[in-house]
Amino acid sequence: MEGYQAEEEIQTLTLPREIMTQKRRPIVSRFKRVCVFCGSSFGKKAIYQLAAIQLGHELVERKIDLVYGGGSVGLMGLVSRAVYNGGRHVLGVIPKKLLPREIVGETVGEMKSVSGMHQRKAEMARQSDAFIALPGGYGTLEELLEVITWVQLGIHDKPVGLLNVDGYYNSLLCFIDKAVDEGFINPSARQIIISAQSPYELLSKLEDYTPKSEGSAFGLSWEREQKGYSAKSEIFR
C-alpha cells in the first residue's frame, strides 16, 4: 500500500532526544478506555507513524483499552494493531458505508457498525474516558473540535488531548490562541485542549486533568442525541 511502512521498519526510527529520555515510573491509570482520533492515511513523515505505534504502546503500558474509528488503514491501523498486539481490548466504531473504504485486509479486536457519522462520534464518546487526537485531516479535526465543544457546553467533562507530533498542530493552536485574543473563545475554554509532543507526556497530563464543567446549561447529552439508533447498530468480529 502506497505510503505504508511496516511496523518493524518504523520501530527503527527514533523520536527526538527529549522524548526518548523521559523517565518512566509504574502508572496505574484512572482511564479504562481512551478514544483516539487519527487519519486513515499514514502521512508523509515516518514520525507520524511512529507516534501512532508509540501511543498504542503507551496505552498498553498503562493497561488502557482503545476506542477508535474502526479503520485498518493509515494511522488508525497502526495504533489499533499496537494496542491489540499488546493484549488490550480494541473497539472500532465505523459507519456501514465506510466499511469498504477504511477496512482493508484483516481487522483487529471488536468492530461495531453504526448507521452514520453522528452515531459513530456519539458511540465513541460514550465508550471512552478521555480523547486523544493524532495527526489527521478534516475528519480528525471535526471529531476533535466536536468533543471540545461538548466540554464547553457541559455535555461531558472528559479530558481532551492533542498529540502535537513534530509540531503538526502548531498552526491550529495558534489559531485557537488568536480566537481567544479576538474574543471568540473564552480564555477559560482555551484550557480544554491539553497538548504535548509525546504519548507519555500527553497521557500524564490527561491523568492530572481536573474537570471544571458544572454541567450542561442547555440540557444536552450524547445519550439523548443517540437515542433511537443504538438498537439498530450491529456488532461483529
Side-chain angles (χ1 to χ4, degrees):
M1 183 179 299
E2 184 178 354
Y4 173 75
Q5 290 179 270
E7 181 170 339
E8 292 79 5
E9 180 181 349
I10 297 171
Q11 295 279 30
T12 64
L13 302 173
T14 58
L15 286 174
R17 181 176 178 82
E18 63 270 17
I19 295 177
M20 297 297 293
T21 56
Q22 289 173 332
K23 295 181 180 180
R24 299 307 308 264
R25 66 182 189 278
I27 297 172
V28 178
S29 178
R30 66 187 178 100
F31 305 131
K32 294 181 179 179
R33 292 180 295 269
V34 166
C35 177
V36 174
F37 304 129
C38 57
S40 58
S41 299
F42 290 99
K44 292 185 176 181
K45 295 181 180 180
I47 195 170
Y48 301 144
Q49 302 165 38
L50 179 61
I53 293 170
Q54 292 211 327
L55 175 58
H57 292 169
E58 189 65 37
L59 292 175
V60 171
E61 181 76 18
R62 296 169 185 254
K63 295 180 172 57
I64 301 172
D65 295 332
L66 171 69
V67 179
Y68 81 116
S72 63
V73 295
L75 300 189
M76 285 197 289
L78 292 177
V79 68
S80 62
R81 285 192 292 272
V83 174
Y84 183 79
N85 291 340
R88 303 305 304 176
H89 185 260
V90 172
L91 172 62
V93 183
I94 187 167
K96 297 175 184 177
K97 291 185 178 180
L98 289 184
L99 287 171
R101 178 176 177 177
E102 293 190 357
I103 294 185
V104 179
E106 184 179 358
T107 61
V108 298
E110 177 184 355
M111 286 290 145
K112 183 171 186 177
S113 70
V114 294
S115 60
M117 297 296 289
H118 176 79
Q119 289 77 19
R120 179 196 220 180
K121 291 179 291 183
E123 182 64 15
M124 290 167 69
R126 188 180 68 84
Q127 293 281 351
S128 305
D129 301 313
F131 307 92
I132 291 176
L134 278 163
Y138 287 140
T140 301
L141 286 174
E142 192 269 341
E143 291 168 330
L144 170 67
L145 293 175
E146 182 151 5
V147 295
I148 290 171
T149 303
W150 287 353
V151 176
Q152 187 175 7
L153 294 176
I155 294 176
H156 74 86
D157 59 5
K158 302 176 183 182
V160 180
L162 197 62
L163 191 53
N164 192 19
V165 182
D166 198 32
Y168 180 79
Y169 283 116
N170 283 352
S171 296
L172 174 63
L173 293 171
C174 286
F175 164 76
I176 293 170
D177 289 336
K178 178 68 172 178
V180 172
D181 292 341
E182 297 296 334
F184 290 102
I185 295 178
N186 190 294
S188 64
R190 174 63 178 86
Q191 309 306 313
I192 294 172
I193 305 175
I194 301 167
S195 64
Q197 296 183 39
S198 73
Y200 172 80
E201 181 186 2
L202 181 58
L203 276 162
S204 296
K205 287 183 176 181
L206 295 177
E207 297 278 3
D208 294 336
Y209 173 79
T210 301
K212 295 180 175 59
S213 172
E214 297 180 357
S216 173
F218 306 99
L220 301 174
S221 70
W222 58 56
E223 287 83 359
R224 181 175 301 179
E225 292 189 24
Q226 69 181 1
K227 183 179 180 182
Y229 93 87
S230 58
K232 299 179 182 179
S233 62
E234 299 174 1
I235 297 180
F236 57 95
R237 297 181 184 274

